[in-house]
Amino acid sequence: MNSEPQLIAHRGYAAAYPENTLPAFQAAIDLGVKWLECDLQMTADGVPVIIHDTNLIRVAGKSVEVLSSPEAVVLSSALEEGVYPPTLNQLLSLLVQNPDVRLFLEFKTESLDAFGLEKVFDSVWSKVAELKKRVIPISYSSRLCYYARAQGAPAIGWVAAKWDQEHQLIADTLQPDYLFTNWTRLPVEEPLWDGAWQWAVYEVTDPAVAERLVARGINFIESMDPQALIHYAPFLR
């Protein structure tokens, strides 16, 4: 359990570098951020890649369907000059080089649905290997969280898509180690759901907002612009 609120680099330092890329993650580490978050999709030939969308049109400017394209096509799609989507193995190598950094690895539901939840998790988790204590599987899929726990993941994180009784019941039943949600979903007049988990909220770039959230009991602030917070919010480490 962390005694101080922590800062998570959301898709790396995505405000200044192409999201979910090695330069974005390295830049966040260079700022002193100790927690990273990334998104994982699978290519048609079963390679885990660090990408949020199922199509590269938003990040690369050309239409490439990730789930139905081979690794070679996806990884050769430039996000900007000289910057390409990384594989999971490449990101894990960065973790090896930075032993005090941890990673929230989000399993995207599109890949889970397309290739099978168990198959995707097993393939990815085998690659994580000795880094399993520093890589936390997270997902909007509670089924993925249950499966990850059953496969021996030391910690899991669930992302709540809504603030309602149905999602509160899922959280109460699952009891994840980390509970994520968009900070704008938090009702102003209601207390946070009570549980043993640590709260993580995204997407925050305003230090004043971060300070208010920490005062409410939020443990992790997730931001694509960690520099905006790490220099102006001394309560974050």
Side-chain angles (χ1 to χ4, degrees):
M1 182 73 69
N2 294 297
S3 59
E4 295 183 333
Q6 302 289 309
L7 179 60
I8 305 170
H10 189 185
R11 308 180 200 171
Y13 187 177
Y17 300 85
E19 67 178 48
N20 279 322
T21 61
L22 296 180
F25 295 122
Q26 184 63 63
I29 293 170
D30 291 343
L31 285 173
V33 178
K34 303 302 183 185
W35 297 80
L36 307 176
E37 184 272 350
C38 73
D39 305 289
L40 183 137
Q41 301 279 13
M42 300 290 286
T43 64
D45 45 355
V47 177
V49 291
I50 307 304
I51 293 171
H52 181 276
D53 302 352
T54 57
N55 190 294
L56 297 183
I57 187 67
R58 178 178 63 87
V59 293
K62 63 178 180 179
S63 183
V64 175
E65 291 291 344
V66 176
L67 308 186
S68 58
S69 298
E71 170 193 12
V73 171
V74 174
L75 299 185
S76 63
S77 301
L79 307 185
E80 66 175 33
E81 186 175 357
V83 180
Y84 299 87
T87 63
L88 173 63
N89 284 342
Q90 289 174 317
L91 181 52
L92 293 178
S93 294
L94 188 62
L95 285 188
V96 171
Q97 297 164 25
N98 296 274
D100 57 345
V101 174
R102 296 186 180 185
L103 173 69
F104 289 108
L105 178 62
E106 183 179 340
F107 288 75
K108 303 303 290 182
T109 57
E110 301 93 341
S111 286
L112 300 179
D113 293 341
F115 300 105
L117 183 151
E118 294 86 355
K119 182 177 180 180
V120 170
F121 183 83
D122 291 348
S123 172
V124 169
W125 205 234
S126 66
K127 297 180 186 300
V128 173
E130 70 275 6
L131 295 174
K132 288 176 181 176
K133 290 185 178 180
R134 294 168 52 205
V135 176
I136 301 99
I138 69 172
S139 184
Y140 282 91
S141 168
S142 59
R143 285 186 58 241
L144 184 281
C145 294
Y146 278 114
Y147 186 76
R149 178 179 282 157
Q151 300 309 305
I156 58 168
W158 180 58
V159 189
K162 294 181 180 179
W163 189 274
D164 57 21
Q165 289 185 340
E166 177 185 354
H167 286 73
Q168 184 176 9
L169 179 59
I170 294 172
D172 288 341
T173 305
L174 176 61
Q175 286 293 311
D177 301 278
Y178 303 91
L179 183 53
F180 285 73
T181 197
N182 191 309
W183 77 270
T184 61
R185 297 190 184 111
L186 303 178
V188 176
E189 302 298 330
E190 294 181 24
L192 300 177
W193 297 338
D194 188 30
W197 50 74
Q198 297 190 74
W199 279 101
V201 297
Y202 60 92
E203 161 57 37
V204 183
T205 56
D206 185 339
V209 171
E211 190 166 15
R212 290 198 298 270
L213 291 167
V214 167
R216 291 191 67 181
I218 298 300
N219 308 97
F220 287 86
I221 301 294
E222 187 172 2
S223 180
M224 291 185 179
D225 192 359
Q227 185 174 33
L229 299 183
I230 204 165
H231 290 304
Y232 302 108
F235 48 85
L236 291 172
R237 297 291 184 268

XYZ file of all heavy atoms in Angstrom, residues 13-49:
279
model
N 4.324 9.835 -21.622
C 4.196 11.296 -21.686
C 3.550 11.612 -23.036
O 4.177 12.115 -23.961
C 5.586 11.920 -21.552
C 5.631 13.429 -21.420
C 6.847 14.072 -21.232
C 4.491 14.217 -21.502
C 6.929 15.445 -21.117
C 4.549 15.592 -21.391
C 5.778 16.202 -21.200
O 5.852 17.569 -21.085
N 2.245 11.307 -23.120
C 1.543 11.351 -24.402
C 1.187 12.764 -24.843
O 0.789 12.960 -25.993
C 0.280 10.490 -24.333
N 1.313 13.738 -23.959
C 1.053 15.115 -24.360
C 2.172 15.673 -25.225
O 1.968 16.634 -25.969
C 0.866 15.996 -23.124
N 3.352 15.087 -25.139
C 4.507 15.614 -25.859
C 5.088 14.642 -26.882
O 5.865 15.059 -27.749
C 5.600 16.023 -24.878
N 4.731 13.364 -26.786
C 5.272 12.330 -27.672
C 4.120 11.445 -28.149
O 3.063 11.397 -27.509
C 6.305 11.465 -26.929
C 7.485 12.251 -26.414
C 7.419 12.897 -25.174
C 8.650 12.354 -27.155
C 8.500 13.626 -24.698
C 9.740 13.083 -26.679
C 9.657 13.719 -25.457
O 10.729 14.442 -24.991
N 4.303 10.740 -29.260
C 3.240 9.831 -29.704
C 2.876 8.840 -28.594
O 3.763 8.229 -27.986
C 3.858 9.122 -30.910
C 4.881 10.080 -31.431
C 5.437 10.753 -30.208
N 1.607 8.721 -28.328
C 1.144 7.889 -27.215
C 1.547 6.436 -27.367
O 1.676 5.914 -28.478
C -0.380 7.972 -27.102
C -1.117 7.350 -28.288
C -2.628 7.411 -28.129
O -3.151 8.497 -27.799
O -3.287 6.381 -28.348
N 1.774 5.795 -26.222
C 2.086 4.362 -26.199
C 3.327 4.001 -27.007
O 3.407 2.913 -27.595
C 0.890 3.548 -26.727
C -0.185 3.323 -25.675
O 0.111 3.098 -24.503
N -1.440 3.374 -26.088
N 4.309 4.887 -27.017
C 5.549 4.602 -27.740
C 6.726 4.637 -26.772
O 6.644 5.229 -25.683
C 5.807 5.616 -28.873
O 5.940 6.939 -28.308
C 4.676 5.592 -29.889
N 7.830 4.050 -27.188
C 9.011 4.031 -26.326
C 9.502 5.434 -25.977
O 9.868 5.682 -24.812
C 10.113 3.202 -26.974
C 9.799 1.708 -27.158
C 10.983 0.991 -27.809
C 9.451 1.042 -25.825
N 9.518 6.406 -26.919
C 9.913 7.766 -26.524
C 8.989 8.371 -25.468
O 9.452 9.077 -24.570
C 9.844 8.549 -27.842
C 10.070 7.527 -28.906
C 9.396 6.293 -28.394
N 7.685 8.089 -25.549
C 6.736 8.619 -24.561
C 6.985 8.010 -23.185
O 6.953 8.707 -22.161
C 5.308 8.352 -25.014
N 7.241 6.707 -23.141
C 7.500 6.056 -21.863
C 8.848 6.488 -21.286
O 8.968 6.745 -20.087
C 7.438 4.533 -22.019
C 6.078 4.027 -22.394
C 5.890 3.290 -23.556
C 4.976 4.301 -21.603
C 4.637 2.824 -23.914
C 3.712 3.842 -21.952
C 3.541 3.102 -23.106
N 9.860 6.582 -22.143
C 11.177 6.991 -21.669
C 11.140 8.422 -21.144
O 11.775 8.738 -20.121
C 12.207 6.872 -22.784
C 13.635 7.184 -22.348
C 14.151 6.210 -21.301
O 14.273 5.017 -21.569
N 14.442 6.708 -20.101
N 10.403 9.295 -21.816
C 10.308 10.687 -21.367
C 9.647 10.772 -19.996
O 10.050 11.586 -19.152
C 9.530 11.513 -22.386
N 8.628 9.945 -19.767
C 7.984 9.938 -18.449
C 8.955 9.456 -17.368
O 9.023 10.030 -16.277
C 6.739 9.042 -18.493
N 9.711 8.423 -17.685
C 10.705 7.913 -16.739
C 11.757 8.984 -16.449
O 12.168 9.176 -15.294
C 11.354 6.633 -17.291
C 10.321 5.497 -17.342
C 12.561 6.229 -16.452
C 10.803 4.264 -18.084
N 12.167 9.702 -17.495
C 13.174 10.750 -17.320
C 12.673 11.871 -16.409
O 13.472 12.541 -15.739
C 13.578 11.334 -18.675
C 14.379 10.347 -19.530
O 14.882 9.352 -18.967
O 14.473 10.569 -20.751
N 11.349 12.083 -16.370
C 10.767 13.075 -15.470
C 10.784 12.611 -14.013
O 10.606 13.413 -13.105
C 9.323 13.370 -15.875
C 9.090 14.230 -17.107
C 7.600 14.268 -17.436
C 9.616 15.642 -16.897
N 10.962 11.310 -13.819
C 10.942 10.757 -12.478
C 9.685 9.983 -12.150
O 9.501 9.554 -10.997
N 8.804 9.775 -13.128
C 7.574 9.021 -12.909
C 7.917 7.546 -12.713
O 8.710 6.975 -13.466
C 6.607 9.194 -14.101
C 5.352 8.364 -13.883
C 6.249 10.663 -14.278
N 7.308 6.931 -11.706
C 7.609 5.538 -11.364
C 6.515 4.572 -11.798
O 6.692 3.353 -11.658
C 7.820 5.400 -9.849
C 8.910 6.295 -9.286
C 10.254 6.050 -9.949
C 11.342 6.917 -9.320
N 12.640 6.777 -10.047
N 5.402 5.099 -12.313
C 4.292 4.247 -12.735
C 3.891 4.615 -14.158
O 3.644 5.793 -14.448
C 3.088 4.414 -11.811
C 3.318 3.994 -10.394
C 3.957 4.718 -9.419
C 2.917 2.765 -9.785
N 3.978 4.010 -8.246
C 3.341 2.818 -8.435
C 2.235 1.643 -10.245
C 3.108 1.777 -7.542
C 1.998 0.600 -9.346
C 2.428 0.673 -8.024
N 3.830 3.624 -15.013
C 3.399 3.814 -16.395
C 2.087 3.063 -16.617
O 1.792 2.095 -15.930
C 4.442 3.286 -17.380
C 5.885 3.783 -17.243
C 6.771 3.062 -18.253
C 5.963 5.290 -17.430
N 1.335 3.513 -17.616
C 0.139 2.780 -18.063
C 0.189 2.694 -19.569
O 0.603 3.652 -20.241
C -1.129 3.500 -17.619
C -2.432 2.777 -17.948
C -2.996 3.106 -19.335
O -2.472 4.045 -19.991
O -3.953 2.428 -19.772
N -0.196 1.528 -20.103
C -0.216 1.354 -21.549
C -1.390 0.473 -21.940
O -2.039 -0.148 -21.101
C 1.093 0.748 -22.057
S 1.269 -1.007 -21.659
N -1.658 0.438 -23.253
C -2.746 -0.362 -23.810
C -2.175 -1.474 -24.664
O -1.166 -1.286 -25.363
C -3.654 0.516 -24.674
C -4.177 1.709 -23.898
O -5.020 1.508 -23.019
O -3.732 2.844 -24.175
N -2.847 -2.624 -24.636
C -2.360 -3.779 -25.383
C -3.426 -4.326 -26.314
O -4.564 -4.573 -25.904
C -1.898 -4.874 -24.419
C -1.303 -6.125 -25.075
C -0.064 -6.584 -24.325
C -2.325 -7.261 -25.130
N -3.062 -4.471 -27.580
C -3.884 -5.148 -28.586
C -3.047 -6.283 -29.194
O -1.825 -6.336 -29.020
C -4.317 -4.184 -29.694
C -5.129 -2.990 -29.236
C -6.606 -3.294 -29.016
O -7.037 -4.446 -28.965
N -7.391 -2.246 -28.873
N -3.715 -7.177 -29.904
C -3.037 -8.310 -30.549
C -3.124 -8.173 -32.064
O -4.175 -7.806 -32.608
C -3.687 -9.629 -30.136
C -3.666 -9.903 -28.649
S -2.021 -10.261 -27.978
C -1.770 -11.930 -28.602
N -2.027 -8.473 -32.740
C -2.054 -8.508 -34.199
C -2.660 -9.834 -34.669
O -2.855 -10.759 -33.877
C -0.641 -8.364 -34.776
O 0.141 -9.503 -34.373
C 0.021 -7.088 -34.300
N -2.919 -9.913 -35.964
C -3.549 -11.118 -36.516
C -2.704 -12.362 -36.308
O -3.244 -13.475 -36.186
C -3.830 -10.916 -38.005
N -1.377 -12.185 -36.255
C -0.498 -13.337 -36.051
C -0.080 -13.510 -34.595
O 0.917 -14.158 -34.283
C 0.729 -13.260 -36.967
C 1.377 -11.890 -37.001
O 0.835 -10.956 -36.382
O 2.425 -11.746 -37.646
N -0.861 -12.920 -33.680
C -0.702 -13.208 -32.265
C 0.417 -12.491 -31.548
O 0.902 -12.970 -30.520
N 0.828 -11.320 -32.033
C 1.893 -10.560 -31.388
C 1.265 -9.438 -30.542
O 0.501 -8.628 -31.063
C 2.857 -9.952 -32.422
C 3.918 -9.090 -31.739
C 3.507 -11.059 -33.242
N 1.570 -9.381 -29.243
C 1.050 -8.294 -28.402
C 1.771 -6.983 -28.725
O 3.003 -6.910 -28.666
C 1.362 -8.744 -26.972
C 1.816 -10.171 -27.073
C 2.346 -10.344 -28.459
N 0.981 -5.956 -29.070
C 1.545 -4.654 -29.419
C 0.923 -3.595 -28.523
O -0.208 -3.728 -28.060
C 1.330 -4.311 -30.905
C 2.165 -5.213 -31.802
C -0.143 -4.409 -31.289
